[in-house]
Amino acid sequence: MDEFFRLVAELVEASKMHERYRGEECINLIASEGLKSPAVKEMLMLSMDLESRYAEGENDLKGHVKKRYYQGQKYITVIENCVTDLIKMLFKCNWADVRLVSGTHANLATFKGLSLAAKNNKMVVTPLSCGAHISHDYTGLAGMVLGLVNIDHAYNVEEMNIDPEKSAGIIRATKPGIITFGGSLFLFPHPVKELRDVADEVGAYIVYDAAHVLGLIAGGVFQDPLREGADFVTSSTHKTFPGPQGGLILGNLKDERTEKAIKKIQHAIFPLSTSNTHLGRLPALGIAALEMKVFGAELARQTVKNAKTAGQYFYEKGLKVLGESKGFTESHQIAVDVREYGGGGVIAERLEEANIILNRNILPYDDQSNRENPSGIRIGFQDVTRRGFGEEDIKHLCDLMLQIIKGEREPSEVRKDVIELRKEFPEVKYGFKSVEEALKYIGA
Ligand SMILES: Cc1ncc(COP(=O)(O)O)c(C=O)c1O
């Protein structure tokens, strides 16, 4: 076969194999991934024309479409406005933007807009090794693309959280334009309300990156950053919030200060950083918002319960689970130090051999350059919870993981049990089976 054609055949085959492997045969514990319902997937399939379209333009201060530079927009404008309003209603805020194609893009536009509004390029962030996302960091988007200067929050490793008193001192001394909260290794609610007054003292905007915990916030657990004093929330739409891959920004227009910020962020979205806003995801985002309104509280509660159960169980079985003094976690994830069993890289690979998929993770006390085999693994429970795992199922899964971590069984042997366990949970719960079922539910 011609090499070009052979590559096409290979990619089609690999795509089919991937769907079966990760979709049917693996147990997915990557904390940054989400599991879509059949209704959300169907809505994506029903939106294929949108997937081909453009809708460049500007939005007003409610987040609605104000101006378009392309023709053929009469339904696209309705779709974008509806989704924006659904998101505003779900998160109880009066401004939102859904044009962001990812969480990183949401951070880009927000950090750029706010550094312009504050006329200040200093940003207080959680250190990367303590859970910040690379887009917050001087080695990533914030520093290398936007030219922001990072100042680290003070971090308490024992509590796995920002130290509010020490951070207040740092903020007063350095007077940043932006203070960020939220992160990728994110076990406990961050001290937003504790640092709101200090932010006001120095005139800083507060940004809360909810990429990991947006579904928990929608479900009313973890914390409510906008009510606690965050000016803006940035997020992905595909982690604990189980929508299509994309991003969003939430905020409240309250006064001149927030109006200036919103206008700068909107400018940073268009024209500074978008042309195509990937419209095909928007209807599915609306269906995911409906699912979170209907099932979000129950899903979020069970997700956190499952994460806590695993933390406690691993701890009782002798593993070093971080955040012990605070009950291991209040979110969908836990972090475990597996240095004595070979390190995070080694253990993640052994678990992968058994079709248990998670990621190695740098822990706060690790050497930052040791990305190959850091001390930790991070385990997320949003996917298995949506599949219907309760606490006893979680303990059974933990037992399989322990057999591998402690070297008691070969991963290839455990794999059979993992595939059997996965087969017991064929459905996606806490969601709709079809768009029609969703419409019937709302009485449409
Ligand atoms: C805290 C945080 N912010 C932003 C992102 C980036 O989101 P995306 O992958 O949608 O660009 C991530 C990714 O995992 C994250 O953990």
Side-chain angles (χ1 to χ4, degrees):
M1 197 190 278
D2 175 286
E3 177 60 5
F4 194 97
F5 295 167
R6 193 197 63 72
L7 285 172
V8 173
E10 185 180 342
L11 95 87
V12 172
E13 180 61 12
S15 306
K16 287 184 188 163
M17 297 292 282
H18 171 85
E19 292 297 314
R20 201 171 78 200
Y21 169 56
R22 292 294 299 279
E24 295 171 24
E25 296 173 349
C26 283
I27 292 189
N28 295 307
L29 300 171
I30 302 253
S32 59
E33 296 179 347
L35 181 64
K36 291 182 223 354
S37 71
V40 167
K41 284 187 186 170
E42 186 190 352
M43 199 67 241
L44 279 170
M45 297 291 288
L46 292 171
S47 308
M48 279 299 132
D49 186 82
L50 275 175
E51 229 270 329
S52 307
R53 303 297 160 210
Y54 269 81
E56 283 183 352
E58 278 139 40
N59 288 1
D60 66 18
L61 287 169
K62 292 191 165 123
H64 292 151
V65 176
K66 184 167 76 181
K67 199 171 185 181
R68 292 291 202 200
Y69 296 106
Y70 281 69
Q71 304 316 120
Q73 301 287 317
K74 63 181 170 183
Y75 297 114
I76 295 177
T77 294
V78 173
I79 289 165
E80 189 177 318
N81 287 346
C82 283
V83 179
T84 300
D85 284 344
L86 288 171
I87 292 295
K88 280 158 52 180
M89 288 159 79
L90 187 67
F91 292 102
K92 302 183 188 66
C93 57
N94 67 19
W95 177 80
D97 208 305
V98 295
R99 291 177 293 172
L100 298 309
V101 300
S102 69
T104 301
H105 185 198
N107 282 342
L108 185 155
T110 305
F111 295 160
K112 179 70 188 171
L114 295 183
S115 61
L116 291 174
K119 295 198 176 70
N120 182 332
N121 73 344
K122 285 183 283 183
M123 180 160 87
V124 168
V125 299
T126 306
L128 206 53
S129 61
C130 301
H133 186 248
I134 182 74
S135 59
H136 307 173
D137 197 64
Y138 70 97
T139 58
L141 169 85
M144 302 308 280
V145 179
L146 298 175
L148 300 181
V149 175
N150 275 180
I151 301 149
D152 284 349
H153 271 297
Y155 197 81
N156 180 332
V157 179
E158 189 58 33
E159 303 210 341
M160 288 301 286
N161 209 335
I162 293 163
D163 180 323
E165 275 177 29
K166 289 190 182 148
S167 272
I170 291 167
I171 291 163
R172 286 196 182 98
T174 57
K175 298 188 174 35
I178 304 169
I179 301 167
T180 65
F181 293 97
S184 307
L185 178 63
F186 198 11
L187 306 179
F188 299 105
H190 277 175
V192 179
K193 57 178 179 300
E194 290 84 346
L195 290 170
R196 178 68 256 179
D197 288 349
V198 189
D200 287 337
E201 273 176 40
V202 301
Y205 289 100
I206 292 185
V207 176
Y208 182 101
D209 183 338
H212 266 262
V213 294
L214 192 70
L216 305 182
I217 293 170
V221 304
F222 200 62
Q223 70 185 130
D224 189 349
L226 288 173
R227 250 56 56 193
E228 292 173 26
D231 293 297
F232 295 97
V233 167
T234 61
S235 191
S236 311
T237 54
H238 50 265
K239 303 185 196 292
T240 53
F241 190 97
Q245 290 187 330
L248 54 75
I249 309 172
L250 312 171
N252 277 307
L253 173 65
K254 289 184 273 205
D255 47 24
E256 261 178 48
R257 179 179 162 276
T258 43
E259 179 175 335
K260 186 160 116 191
I262 287 172
K263 285 181 174 163
K264 294 288 186 195
I265 291 171
Q266 287 176 325
H267 179 67
I269 296 171
F270 180 83
L272 293 194
S273 67
T274 46
S275 177
N276 194 318
T277 56
H278 299 187
L279 300 155
R281 69 196 160 82
L282 291 181
L285 178 57
I287 298 290
L290 171 66
E291 291 183 334
M292 286 296 98
K293 185 174 171 60
V294 177
F295 309 106
E298 213 189 322
L299 173 60
R301 253 198 321 269
Q302 188 61 44
T303 302
V304 176
K305 208 190 260 183
N306 283 347
K308 277 175 175 292
T309 299
Q312 181 68 34
Y313 195 71
F314 279 139
Y315 176 76
E316 284 166 12
K317 299 287 174 185
L319 295 196
K320 189 174 173 208
V321 187
L322 275 69
E324 179 201 335
S325 65
K326 294 281 172 181
F328 308 108
T329 186
E330 290 295 329
S331 77
H332 61 300
Q333 46 168 278
I334 59 171
V336 184
D337 183 330
V338 289
R339 250 178 314 181
E340 69 174 281
Y341 303 101
V346 169
I347 292 299
E349 281 173 17
R350 281 202 205 131
L351 289 165
E352 182 186 33
E353 272 181 65
N355 283 15
I356 296 172
I357 309 294
L358 49 65
N359 64 282
R360 68 195 72 182
N361 218 94
I362 286 191
L363 299 179
Y365 40 80
D366 275 341
D367 173 357
Q368 290 236 18
S369 59
N370 183 9
R371 288 177 185 278
E372 278 307 304
N373 195 23
S375 301
I377 51 173
R378 186 185 64 173
I379 316 175
F381 293 89
Q382 70 287 358
D383 190 314
V384 285
T385 304
R386 217 171 184 214
R387 290 211 177 273
F389 277 54
E391 290 98 299
E392 289 311 308
D393 310 305
I394 292 291
K395 287 181 190 166
H396 177 38
L397 173 60
C398 289
D399 280 333
L400 295 175
M401 294 171 76
L402 282 161
Q403 289 162 7
I404 295 167
I405 293 169
K406 294 187 174 178
E408 293 163 358
R409 280 177 81 199
E410 281 305 310
S412 55
E413 240 183 79
V414 180
R415 189 192 308 136
K416 296 180 203 120
D417 296 345
V418 170
I419 293 174
E420 280 313 303
L421 179 61
R422 172 63 190 81
K423 273 193 196 145
E424 288 175 33
F425 297 89
E427 285 180 18
V428 178
K429 311 275 187 196
Y430 309 97
F432 294 108
K433 292 193 171 42
S434 64
V435 173
E436 197 183 324
E437 189 185 273
L439 290 175
K440 206 182 267 176
Y441 180 88
I442 60 176

